[in-house]
Amino acid sequence: MLLNKTLIGLATGIMCSLTFVANAAPIEIKFSHVVAENTPKGQMALKFKDLVDEKLPGKVTVKVFPNSQLFGDNKVLEAMQLGDVQMAAPSLSKFKKYTKKLQIFDLPFLFTDIDSVERFQKSAVGIRLLRSMERKGLIGLGYLHNGMKQLSASAPLKVPNDAKGKKFRIMSSDVLAAQFMAVDAMPVKKPFSEVFTLLQTKAIDGQENTWSNIYSKKFFEVQDYITESNHGVLDYMVVTSKSFWDSLPSDVRAEVQSALDEAIAYGNGIAAKKAEQDKQQIIDSKRSSIITISTEQRQLWVTAMKPVWKRFERKIGKEYIDAAISANQVN
Ligand code: SIN
């Protein structure tokens, strides 16, 4: 009799906890970013949401907040540490407070093209960098491409001397500040959400960005010239907080990672196409003239800016820079 009662009690307990699991509210991932939806990052985030819906129905939901709607890029990582947002994909230039090593991606003329960047990110060194902020409570889950950066300005920029004395908006990176100071220009650190107005009101003269950002945020409508300089890379790291990541059941964590890997591959495919398409849209708009520089003119920019590497070598680590140089060679 007593045994029966105990068994009934146990069974009821198990049923209750199963019902609780079945009825538990899904885990929510707020994914915050600063760009438009029709960009590689915007599309990747939406794809990630769809894949999570498909792989983890009722268990995890993703809410995407584009265009700095939830947090601007100067606040999102602090918000992540506080648990107010679970995922973001800031540009690699925006992690200075958390690690100096990622500044490698800002060194001017380090990578020859996006394929070199891809090889570096996939290398053992690149993979190690995903964990470079773990002690600060942030974990990198993957890299995403946007593309190579171009210089835009209100006056034509052909040689470094053309940039002298001009104000350029930059992301919050000391390497980028040094890059512009190397050509006697004035760098101004500002969030992405302010760039259009700063350009429109002529508070600054120019900025550096990818074709997709210049197009989707309409910078080309308020900049008369864009120099096709390909002088640096603008890529992203998808990050989460260590405490959130560790709190996920391991099977859920594996599915979320797999959805993200798939979404990143999709976003990278879009990045490759968008760079060409958005450049063409800008040409067709006739709002901004595209300047193609000669090999000799490009070399002048390289000579002026490359000394920045040496200045940051100790902070970044020579072995990382060497690995990036090797990634320029196709095996
Ligand atoms: C982004 O692509 O996320 C923003 C880049 C910038 O701040 O210029």
Side-chain angles (χ1 to χ4, degrees), residues 51-68:
L51 288 167
V52 168
D53 282 348
E54 200 181 297
K55 288 175 191 272
L56 294 159
K59 285 191 185 165
V60 181
T61 55
V62 178
K63 279 195 187 146
V64 182
F65 298 87
N67 291 313
S68 311

Side-chain angles (χ1 to χ4, degrees), residues 34-35 41 73 89-91 94 146 169 171 190-192 195 207-210 213 219 234 236:
V34 299
V35 292
K41 183 160 58 180
D73 46 27
S91 140
K94 294 177 182 168
N146 184 327
R169 176 270 174 174
M171 296 180 272
K190 290 284 178 190
F192 188 56
V195 182
Q207 61 89 47
E208 53 165 14
N209 232 304
T210 59
N213 281 349
F219 299 162
L234 196 165
Y236 306 111

